[in-house]
């Protein structure tokens, strides 16, 4: 089903609902949109950080501890 067809079908259904129910659908659609925007932003931040060289210096850092330094091993 195409996006346009889904929109037409949804509008047809919305016209049959009372105003209070239409408000619920509108609020839910805004919630979904906000959630989607946050996911896009989060993925963008993750990509930017993973491709960044900001913490590259940590790759050359010597390990200060190893397994022999553990008091208990699980």
């Amino acid at each position: 089903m195409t996006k346009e067809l889904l929109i037409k079908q949804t509008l047809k259904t919305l016209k049959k609902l009372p105003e209070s129910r239409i408000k619920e659908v509108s609020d839910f659609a805004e919630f979904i949109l906000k959630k989607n925007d946050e996911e896009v932003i989060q993925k963008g931040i993750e990509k930017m950080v993973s491709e960044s060289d900001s913490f590259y210096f940590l790759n050359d850092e010597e390990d200060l501890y190893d397994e022999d330094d553990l008091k208990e091993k699980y």
Side-chain angles (χ1 to χ4, degrees):
M1 195 174 279
T2 67
K3 181 178 180 178
E4 290 300 318
L5 188 59
L6 281 171
I7 291 171
K8 286 180 183 179
Q9 183 180 354
T10 303
L11 288 174
K12 192 175 180 181
T13 304
L14 282 172
K15 289 179 181 180
K16 298 176 185 176
L17 292 173
E19 189 174 336
S20 62
R21 295 297 186 184
I22 294 172
K23 176 70 173 131
E24 286 181 43
V25 173
S26 175
D27 290 345
F28 183 67
E30 288 181 31
F31 168 77
I32 295 293
L33 182 61
K34 182 179 177 186
K35 185 176 176 183
N36 185 65
D37 289 346
E38 290 172 357
E39 288 174 2
V40 169
I41 290 170
Q42 181 67 33
K43 287 179 184 177
I45 291 170
E46 289 173 6
K47 183 178 182 210
M48 186 174 62
V49 169
S50 68
E51 294 174 355
S52 171
D53 291 334
S54 297
F55 296 102
Y56 184 75
F57 68 94
L58 293 174
N59 293 336
D60 298 332
E61 189 171 322
E62 185 179 318
D63 290 337
L64 298 176
Y65 303 104
D66 61 15
E67 284 188 30
D68 295 332
D69 296 316
L70 295 174
K71 292 183 181 181
E72 292 184 33
K73 294 182 184 181
Y74 294 95

